[in-house]
């Protein structure tokens, strides 16, 4: 049932691991930006990247000052973070400590990214922005580059082709501003720039990541001769799936994205900052998800359903059989949901 696991994994983790995943993050192939930091944190930050951001180096030298209950604190930082394909290294040059590990599901997300048109990428970006209550409030030039001004959660960012050239945020009385003072586009960058500092002993985070992600990375080591999974396209009409996802309203959930990846459909919703709901449509020929875990089978409004938890997973799942389209609709909630609660969610759709 590796195919079904892959579908669910990509759905649930494509945004959870977004802070460390950079798959064509920028619309500029290579570049270098230097920032001046001001506010409660002062100093400099530099970013170098190649291959649209899949290779990157971020170096920050700063001093952060704060005052709480009459007590002033000062924290110095000198960090370097390297992203190189599927791996990352994070080094603290003040304490000579660091971490390294794999970027979870990089290859799967890279394949999804490659199969999307620019219009689809822009639509998903807009959906995510709107889901978090953000908006584009105008345009302004920074270093001669026309940027969209994005306002989100009390912060403002000036973005040029995916690159933030300025940001301004204030939270709990702490103000932070990053302003680009140098921007070089499409330049040649030495490969040595993406080599992690050699003076650091790096703590391997892979085992910890697997525990945090529910051990899902482990299936990559199994069936190694079956790395490329060809999923059979679903017969369910994508236009109908997209319409149902776009019109879904229930208990504070906000749509993050909806997409068609090689005939397998997926949609993501969020409630607050931590609760997620993933919905997928996949062909029944890709496998029976009921064989993954101990799921209860029953009938709801004339449709065969399965409810429960997948093997070794905390997420709650509800699978609906749509035989006239030879399709399974799979709902996965990160929160513990009763059967009646999951059915209430299902009833908001018209699958």
């Amino acid at each position: 049932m590796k195919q079904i696991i892959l579908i669910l994994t990509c759905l649930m983790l494509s945004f959870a691991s977004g802070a460390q995943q950079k798959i064509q993050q920028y619309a500029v192939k290579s570049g270098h930006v230097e920032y001046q930091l001001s506010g409660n944190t002062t100093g400099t930050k530099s970013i170098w990247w190649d291959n649209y951001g899949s290779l990157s180096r971020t170096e920050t030298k700063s001093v952060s000052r704060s005052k709480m209950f009459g007590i002033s604190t000062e924290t110095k930082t000198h960090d370097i973070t390297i992203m190189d394909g599927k791996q990352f290294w994070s080094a603290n040059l003040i304490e000579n400590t660091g971490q390294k590990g794999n970027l979870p599901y990089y290859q799967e997300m890279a394949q999804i990214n490659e199969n999307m048109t620019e219009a689809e990428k822009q639509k998903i970006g807009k959906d995510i922005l709107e889901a978090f209550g953000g908006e584009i409030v105008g345009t302004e030039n920074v270093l001669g580059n026309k940027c969209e001004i994005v306002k989100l959660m009390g912060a403002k960012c000036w973005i040029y082709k995916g690159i933030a050239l300025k940001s301004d945020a204030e939270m709990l009385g702490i103000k932070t501003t990053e302003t680009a003072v140098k921007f070089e586009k499409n330049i040649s960058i030495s490969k040595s720039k993406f080599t992690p500092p050699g003076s650091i002993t790096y703590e391997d985070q892979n085992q910890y990541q697997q525990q945090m992600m529910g051990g899902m990375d482990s299936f990559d080591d199994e069936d190694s001769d079956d790395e490329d999974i060809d999923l059979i396209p679903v017969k369910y009409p994508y236009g109908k799936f997209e319409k149902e996802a776009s019109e879904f309203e229930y208990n504070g959930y906000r749509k993050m994205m909806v997409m068609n990846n090689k005939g397998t459909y997926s949609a993501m919703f969020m409630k607050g900052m931590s609760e997620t709901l993933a919905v997928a449509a996949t062909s029944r020929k890709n496998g029976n998800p009921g064989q993954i875990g101990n799921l209860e089978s029953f009938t709801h409004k004339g449709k065969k359903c399965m409810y429960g938890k997948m093997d070794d997973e905390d997420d709650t799942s509800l699978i609906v059989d749509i035989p006239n389209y030879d399709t399974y609709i799979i709902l996965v909630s990160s929160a513990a949901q009763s059967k009646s609660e999951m059915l209430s969610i299902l009833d908001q759709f018209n699958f």
Side-chain angles (χ1 to χ4, degrees):
M1 295 301 99
K2 185 176 178 181
Q3 295 95 331
I4 298 295
I5 295 176
L6 176 59
I7 294 167
L8 301 182
T9 298
C10 288
L11 279 170
M12 298 305 296
L13 300 178
S14 59
F15 294 100
S17 58
Q20 288 185 333
Q21 289 190 206
K22 296 188 174 184
I23 302 170
Q24 290 203 5
Q25 179 178 357
Y26 309 125
V28 177
K29 185 179 184 298
S30 63
H32 170 221
V33 184
E34 291 185 9
Y35 300 90
Q36 189 70 40
L37 311 182
S38 59
N40 291 78
T41 298
T42 57
T44 61
K45 183 171 82 170
S46 292
I47 299 176
W48 295 263
W49 75 89
D50 203 348
N51 195 25
Y52 301 97
S54 63
L55 289 172
S56 70
R57 173 192 178 102
T58 303
E59 183 168 2
T60 305
K61 298 179 182 179
S62 65
V63 178
S64 298
R65 298 176 178 87
S66 62
K67 187 174 183 179
M68 295 186 67
F69 306 112
I71 301 175
S72 298
T73 60
E74 181 178 285
T75 303
K76 294 182 177 181
T77 298
H78 186 186
D79 293 340
I80 293 177
T81 299
I82 304 288
M83 304 283 188
D84 181 2
K86 298 180 181 181
Q87 297 177 291
F88 75 91
W89 295 261
S90 180
N92 181 332
L93 300 187
I94 294 178
E95 299 180 0
N96 286 323
T97 59
Q99 295 83 38
K100 66 177 181 179
N102 296 327
L103 298 177
Y105 312 104
Y106 181 94
Q107 189 62 40
E108 289 83 356
M109 292 308 301
Q111 291 173 356
I112 291 174
N113 184 80
E114 290 173 1
N115 293 326
M116 293 170 60
T117 66
E118 286 302 318
E120 289 172 331
K121 294 175 187 177
Q122 291 177 9
K123 184 177 185 302
I124 287 179
K126 182 180 178 181
D127 288 345
I128 294 172
L129 180 64
E130 292 177 350
F132 281 105
E135 59 180 334
I136 298 174
V137 296
T139 61
E140 187 176 327
N141 283 354
V142 179
L143 296 179
N145 300 280
K146 186 177 181 180
C147 299
E148 288 187 329
I149 305 173
V150 178
K151 188 175 182 181
L152 177 65
M153 297 182 182
K156 291 173 70 176
C157 290
W158 286 251
I159 299 176
Y160 170 79
K161 294 188 175 182
I163 306 156
L165 295 183
K166 181 179 177 181
S167 62
D168 194 354
E170 184 171 358
M171 184 175 293
L172 300 177
I174 298 175
K175 182 176 177 61
T176 302
T177 299
E178 297 184 0
T179 305
V181 295
K182 183 178 182 179
F183 180 25
E184 301 174 286
K185 293 176 278 188
N186 295 314
I187 60 175
S188 177
I189 302 176
S190 171
K191 290 183 179 180
S192 63
K193 185 63 71 174
F194 306 114
T195 300
S199 58
I200 302 293
T201 300
Y202 294 93
E203 180 182 356
D204 196 321
Q205 298 293 297
N206 286 333
Q207 183 176 358
Y208 172 75
Q209 285 179 345
Q210 290 182 13
Q211 292 173 348
M212 290 295 292
M213 301 299 183
M216 294 295 287
D217 277 344
S218 60
F219 71 76
D220 287 333
D221 297 327
E222 300 173 359
D223 303 325
S224 57
D225 58 343
D226 187 29
E227 292 180 359
D228 295 326
I229 302 174
D230 293 325
L231 295 175
I232 296 173
V234 69
K235 294 181 180 179
Y236 198 90
Y238 179 64
K240 177 174 170 56
F241 181 89
E242 185 178 33
K243 179 177 182 292
E244 292 302 318
S246 297
E247 295 180 353
F248 174 75
E249 292 184 5
Y250 182 76
N251 200 23
Y253 282 104
R254 298 173 296 182
K255 185 186 72 173
M256 294 286 291
M257 50 75 75
V258 55
M259 63 183 291
N260 176 359
N261 180 41
K262 288 186 176 182
T264 296
Y265 313 150
S266 57
M268 178 73 75
F269 306 86
M270 287 196 70
K271 181 180 178 182
M273 293 299 294
S274 59
E275 187 173 328
T276 59
L277 172 68
V279 184
T282 182
S283 171
R284 296 195 299 179
K285 293 183 174 64
N286 290 324
N288 182 356
Q291 297 176 3
I292 298 176
N294 184 21
L295 304 181
E296 174 191 354
S297 298
F298 59 97
T299 299
H300 175 69
K301 295 184 177 180
K303 294 184 175 69
K304 293 182 179 179
C305 301
M306 291 173 277
Y307 165 82
K309 296 181 184 295
M310 301 295 183
D311 286 342
D312 302 321
E313 292 301 306
D314 293 328
D315 304 322
T316 308
S317 300
L318 178 68
I319 297 96
V320 186
D321 190 357
I322 313 292
N324 54 319
Y325 289 115
D326 198 20
T327 294
Y328 285 124
I329 298 292
I330 306 172
L331 285 73
V332 182
S333 172
S334 64
Q337 304 268 20
S338 68
K339 182 169 75 172
S340 62
E341 289 171 332
M342 290 296 285
L343 290 174
S344 294
I345 294 174
L346 173 65
D347 288 342
Q348 305 309 307
F349 297 99
N350 185 29
F351 292 126

